Amino acid sequence: MFFFVKDYYYFLGISPDSSAEEIKRAYRKLSVKYHPDKNDNDDFFHERFREMKEAYETLNDTEKRRYYDRYFYPKIKEKKSLSSPVIKHFYYTKTSDHEYVIKWETAHADVIKILPLGLVKSYGERKISLVDFSKEDPQFVLHASNTFVQKTVVKRLFITESSASDVPKNVYPTDNHQISKIQKTPISIWIACLLVFVVLSLVFLILLLG
């Protein structure tokens, strides 16, 4: 007797009426994409890969799949949330120069991904460095989907260096440039300006007394 409690069709990204060939094709494609060796041996991908392998071994076996479809998959469908997906929060905090931590939490979603990071859990955090991205102000997009009700919510997040210091990006470089010009002014020029001011003051005083 087999005991199944997971949605194996979801793990492989296929429908319950998929053919044996479609099951094999989906597993080959996903096993390459989510193999831990290709994702820095991240724990999330280890678990994801294990679930895909478990799903394939069940659905690729005719007897196991028939038993799963008859006794377990209908109950799994009943337990799935009928509520629309929700993004509770999606924001970032700065930890050091060019390094940030993205934090998120969702509800009623069974497929969650953050582009360009990939699939993620329903809640968590991810440390990133802006030097790893080609754009100056990279954009991150959180997708939270409930595949059972076929609804998705999306939220975007832009990370900018200026926003972390609470200084508007279009103001700070200009002000900084003006300060730099003042700091680089030679001392001799200031002395010359002071001497001119003294001479003019003396001339004005002589004319006034004369």
Side-chain angles (χ1 to χ4, degrees):
M1 179 178 179
F2 310 110
F3 184 70
F4 304 98
V5 293
K6 302 176 181 179
D7 188 345
Y8 291 139
Y9 293 108
Y10 159 66
F11 289 154
L12 295 179
I14 57 178
S15 63
D17 58 354
S18 297
S19 65
E21 182 58 33
E22 289 174 327
I23 293 173
K24 292 179 181 179
R25 187 163 54 246
Y27 174 69
R28 285 196 296 265
K29 179 180 179 181
L30 293 176
S31 61
V32 172
K33 182 177 181 180
Y34 294 109
H35 197 285
D37 292 345
K38 294 183 176 293
N39 294 280
D40 300 324
N41 286 311
D42 187 279
D43 290 340
F44 171 77
F45 290 97
H46 271 288
E47 180 63 18
R48 180 68 173 153
F49 186 77
R50 186 191 65 78
E51 290 173 335
M52 288 189 302
K53 185 177 180 181
E54 180 182 321
Y56 175 71
E57 291 176 348
T58 300
L59 300 181
N60 192 49
D61 185 293
T62 304
E63 183 181 353
K64 289 182 179 181
R65 183 181 182 184
R66 185 185 301 113
Y67 195 89
Y68 173 80
D69 287 344
R70 182 174 181 180
Y71 295 104
F72 292 96
Y73 188 65
K75 295 180 180 179
I76 293 173
K77 289 176 62 177
E78 292 176 1
K79 292 181 179 179
K80 283 197 171 184
S81 175
L82 297 178
S83 302
S84 297
V86 175
I87 297 177
K88 293 185 176 181
H89 64 248
F90 185 40
Y91 64 96
Y92 68 87
T93 57
K94 186 174 184 179
T95 57
S96 61
D97 290 341
H98 308 299
E99 292 189 347
Y100 300 81
V101 173
I102 296 178
K103 300 182 179 182
W104 71 91
E105 183 178 357
T106 65
H108 312 303
D110 56 1
V111 178
I112 305 97
K113 59 183 177 180
I114 299 178
L115 301 177
L117 303 180
L119 288 173
V120 295
K121 298 180 180 179
S122 59
Y123 65 92
E125 60 183 48
R126 182 74 65 87
K127 186 176 181 180
I128 65 166
S129 175
L130 293 191
V131 298
D132 296 332
F133 298 89
S134 57
K135 294 183 179 179
E136 181 180 355
D137 299 332
Q139 176 187 193
F140 297 87
V141 186
L142 172 59
H143 293 253
S145 303
N146 184 328
T147 57
F148 189 64
V149 296
Q150 297 184 348
K151 290 185 179 180
T152 299
V153 290
V154 178
K155 190 170 184 179
R156 301 176 188 277
L157 184 66
F158 290 90
I159 294 184
T160 62
E161 296 280 17
S162 60
S163 63
S165 58
D166 296 326
V167 179
K169 187 175 181 181
N170 61 335
V171 173
Y172 179 75
T174 304
D175 291 345
N176 186 56
H177 179 62
Q178 292 174 347
I179 293 173
S180 298
K181 287 177 64 177
I182 294 175
Q183 292 175 339
K184 293 179 181 179
T185 302
I187 297 178
S188 58
I189 295 179
W190 290 109
I191 295 176
C193 291
L194 181 61
L195 290 176
V196 171
F197 175 77
V198 172
V199 171
L200 291 176
S201 298
L202 289 175
V203 172
F204 178 76
L205 183 60
I206 292 173
L207 293 176
L208 185 62
L209 293 177

